Amino acid sequence: MDCVKVLLDGGKGGVESGLKNVSSHCSISEMDDYDLSKLLERPRLNIERQRSFDERSLSELSVGLSRGLDHYESAYSPGRSVLDTPASSARNSFEPHPMVADAWEALRRSLVHFRGQPVGTIAAYDHASEEVLNYDQVFVRDFVPSALAFLMNGEPDIVKNFLLKTLQLQGWEKRIDRFKLGEGAMPASFKVLHDPVRKTDTIVADFGESAIGRVAPIDSGFWWIILLRAYTKSTGDLSLAETSECQKGMRLILALCLSEGFDTFPTLLCADGCSMIDRRMGIYGYPIEIQSLFFMALRAALAMLKHDAEGKEFIERIVKRLHALSYHMRSYFWLDFQQLNDIYRYKTEEYSHTAVNKFNVIPDSIPDWVFDFMPTRGGYFIGNVSPARMDFRWFALGNCVAILSSLATPEQASAIMDLFEERWEELVGEMPLKICYPAIESHEWRIVTGCDPKNTRWSYHNGGSWPVLLWLLTAACIKTGRPQIARRAIDLAESRLLKDSWPEYYDGKLGRYIGKQARKYQTWSIAGYLVAKMMLEDPSHLGMISLEEDKQMKPVLKRSSSWTC
């Protein structure tokens, strides 16, 4: 069956408005600090509730954050309060930014209920739009910033409901035409239909059969695992992750990703349109966004899988894959000034295991823009690496998740933040944050996108600016000790977002114009802002979405690295 429906009695529940006043806490798992070589000797997952922090003690982080913000405030906005969100205002006698209350009100308006219980948030609440399309559905990836906002505000029930509901949807039979999808595939989205006469609720899930291009979302399963860990870390509630249903759900997702095939690389082979960039944009192959999420989901699952017979088998496979994946990504996807110079001087047609140019990349295929874009100080993970092809475009989500998951080494993470500072106008401009850089145009745009009218240059996925990415940038800034970068980006967002009615994306080289087809009151633009504000106010929140570096996975790089110069 192409479309599966479930009928259950129920109705729409009430919505409690307003921002809860709760004390912040963050339960931290010792499992995040694995020595992978000793992993299999551990008998069982044991997570303790602590007030510690993944990177360093909270007290140390708070001191560093305060110093960084003080430095930034004195340099960029004298006389303004540093931490001006509600919880901090009580401590520091500052009024919260007026956008915060509006954002919470808008976020609560987007809540979706099933049988009287909140189970997610719709993609956009734009009554002015003539066509609803699928913006009235609950998207797995879109809900992540909403979920983090509710967790940080001490409201975990909606997140638990979402995790359980999507887990039930995973168990449905999934078919596109006459082809059956893998058992572990998670939906891209689902919709709740209310029948006021029968007083029933109907759920309709989309596993890709209704999507542009009919592509299944590879990232949904990864985000589900990452969000399950965030819920566990935030609440200290281990019981959900330890249920047989959640354990099976994780194993099914992992089984799809860890299956053996013809690949010679540890990265995941993907079709175009399988992630946040869900239209044809030339990301087929091994896109950085999927590889970073894959790495993070593997590490998150590693911390939550039970050490029973079934779990131990997957743990062994995860450990092997993490070692191979981290080496591959850090060695072949990383680009800095020195590596760019090395690629520029590559010899081609090399054979045998002694080859330096292992993917036979032709130096003449390096685009001209990257030579001017690459500073002597800084670096990033490029968009894609496959035989005879390197996509040198910079992608925001993949690089930020690489920092949060510790796929990037501390030196690489620092270099990515250096790039933000060196290329602020290109990557941030007047509205954070460019989804990718640069835009493709002219003949290349026609070939790569198939003349997609929505992905014209500097618009939508083709170099558009997406406010939702603000939360990922902020998290990366806090983890790398650069809170002043996050504050600067948040200030830019606060100057426009509320006035512009929370658009989905902005267009133009600098992100100056509201996107030509952007929806207003886009939920993840709202939630991304709230999460960024709350994380900057209380850095301990970062613990639920950040993973400590595992030094056992750090490769020995034989070439020089420009970030140490």
Side-chain angles (χ1 to χ4, degrees), residues 264-268 286 291 295 321-334 339 358-359 381 384-387 407 412 553 555 557:
T264 54
F265 313 131
T267 41
L268 282 181
Y286 305 90
Q291 313 314 321
F295 184 85
R321 191 60 166 263
L322 282 173
H323 277 286
L325 183 59
S326 61
Y327 178 84
H328 184 90
M329 297 297 297
R330 293 168 180 175
S331 301
Y332 304 125
F333 274 66
W334 182 253
Q339 178 68 350
K358 293 185 178 181
F359 298 93
F381 290 100
N384 220 311
V385 176
S386 58
L407 172 59
Q412 289 172 334
M553 292 189 295
L557 299 180

Side-chain angles (χ1 to χ4, degrees), residues 232-254:
T232 302
K233 300 280 282 184
S234 175
T235 63
D237 176 15
L238 312 183
S239 61
L240 180 62
E242 291 182 343
T243 61
S244 59
E245 293 80 7
C246 283
Q247 291 289 310
K248 180 182 178 181
M250 283 190 285
R251 292 197 302 269
L252 287 175
I253 295 169
L254 295 170

Side-chain angles (χ1 to χ4, degrees), residues 106-127:
L107 181 60
R108 295 190 190 284
R109 279 201 307 269
S110 71
L111 283 170
V112 173
H113 290 76
F114 180 77
R115 300 186 65 187
Q117 297 296 321
V119 293
T121 51
I122 59 174
Y125 193 80
D126 187 1
H127 288 305

Side-chain angles (χ1 to χ4, degrees), residues 25-41:
H25 57 79
C26 182
S27 63
I28 301 301
S29 169
E30 292 180 353
M31 299 297 283
D32 293 338
D33 305 326
Y34 276 146
D35 176 342
L36 290 180
S37 64
K38 299 179 180 178
L39 173 68
L40 301 181
E41 300 174 5

Side-chain angles (χ1 to χ4, degrees), residues 222-499:
F222 298 153
W223 279 123
W224 187 88
I225 292 174
I226 292 166
L227 188 55
L228 178 61
R229 175 189 175 272
Y231 172 86
T232 302
K233 300 280 282 184
S234 175
T235 63
D237 176 15
L238 312 183
S239 61
L240 180 62
E242 291 182 343
T243 61
S244 59
E245 293 80 7
C246 283
Q247 291 289 310
K248 180 182 178 181
M250 283 190 285
R251 292 197 302 269
L252 287 175
I253 295 169
L254 295 170
L256 287 177
C257 309
L258 299 175
S259 58
E260 295 180 350
F262 292 99
D263 278 321
T264 54
F265 313 131
T267 41
L268 282 181
L269 182 62
C270 307
D272 239 336
C274 65
S275 58
M276 178 181 175
I277 299 178
D278 57 2
R279 301 170 74 93
R280 182 175 161 190
M281 269 293 293
I283 66 167
Y284 61 88
Y286 305 90
I288 180 61
E289 175 177 337
I290 291 298
Q291 313 314 321
S292 293
L293 287 172
F294 180 35
F295 184 85
M296 191 168 192
L298 287 178
R299 294 201 63 198
L302 200 59
M304 295 184 291
L305 282 172
K306 291 183 178 180
H307 287 242
D308 53 20
E310 293 177 300
K312 190 172 182 180
E313 176 191 350
F314 276 94
I315 288 172
E316 291 175 350
R317 294 165 68 183
I318 290 172
V319 170
K320 292 177 181 178
R321 191 60 166 263
L322 282 173
H323 277 286
L325 183 59
S326 61
Y327 178 84
H328 184 90
M329 297 297 297
R330 293 168 180 175
S331 301
Y332 304 125
F333 274 66
W334 182 253
L335 188 73
D336 56 20
F337 183 84
Q338 181 61 52
Q339 178 68 350
L340 178 59
N341 205 160
D342 291 346
I343 296 172
Y344 176 70
R345 291 167 51 82
Y346 269 169
K347 296 179 180 179
T348 59
E349 308 303 324
E350 294 180 303
Y351 295 90
S352 84
H353 64 278
T354 60
V356 175
N357 184 3
K358 293 185 178 181
F359 298 93
N360 196 36
V361 175
I362 310 302
D364 287 346
S365 69
I366 303 174
D368 292 337
W369 66 264
V370 76
F371 292 104
D372 295 327
F373 177 73
M374 178 60 70
T376 54
R377 175 175 163 267
Y380 64 103
F381 290 100
I382 63 174
N384 220 311
V385 176
S386 58
R389 178 188 178 221
M390 297 183 81
D391 183 351
F392 289 91
R393 285 178 295 175
W394 175 91
F395 290 86
L397 194 152
N399 276 275
C400 288
V401 172
I403 292 175
L404 297 177
S405 64
S406 289
L407 172 59
T409 66
E411 295 83 5
Q412 289 172 334
S414 180
I416 293 171
M417 301 314 298
D418 288 342
L419 186 72
F420 273 114
E421 293 186 320
E422 295 288 333
R423 296 292 179 259
W424 182 265
E425 288 297 305
E426 291 87 347
L427 303 181
V428 181
E430 295 185 17
M431 176 57 65
L433 180 64
K434 286 292 179 196
I435 190 171
C436 68
Y437 181 90
I440 51 178
E441 49 190 314
S442 303
H443 179 66
E444 185 182 12
W445 167 78
R446 288 190 288 272
I447 297 298
V448 172
T449 73
C451 300
D452 188 348
K454 196 168 184 178
N455 274 331
T456 53
R457 63 177 185 175
W458 306 114
S459 180
Y460 203 50
H461 298 142
N462 189 12
S465 299
W466 292 69
V468 62
L469 297 172
L470 183 63
W471 81 265
L472 284 163
L473 173 61
T474 300
C477 289
I478 294 173
K479 183 168 184 179
T480 54
R482 310 275 188 100
Q484 69 279 5
I485 298 178
R487 165 54 62 194
R488 187 180 177 191
I490 289 173
D491 284 347
L492 282 173
E494 287 178 338
S495 69
R496 291 285 304 273
L497 281 181
L498 179 58
K499 181 177 65 175

Side-chain angles (χ1 to χ4, degrees), residues 33-86:
D33 305 326
Y34 276 146
D35 176 342
L36 290 180
S37 64
K38 299 179 180 178
L39 173 68
L40 301 181
E41 300 174 5
R42 294 198 176 193
R44 181 176 170 81
L45 171 66
N46 179 25
I47 304 179
E48 297 179 1
R49 294 193 56 157
Q50 303 177 19
R51 290 189 61 82
S52 60
F53 178 62
D54 281 359
E55 291 293 314
R56 65 211 82 168
S57 70
L58 178 56
S59 58
E60 179 185 344
L61 180 71
S62 299
V63 170
L65 180 64
S66 298
R67 288 174 179 171
L69 285 169
D70 289 343
H71 171 75
Y72 171 76
E73 291 296 330
S74 62
Y76 290 97
S77 52
R80 178 174 176 146
S81 66
V82 174
L83 300 173
D84 54 6
T85 50

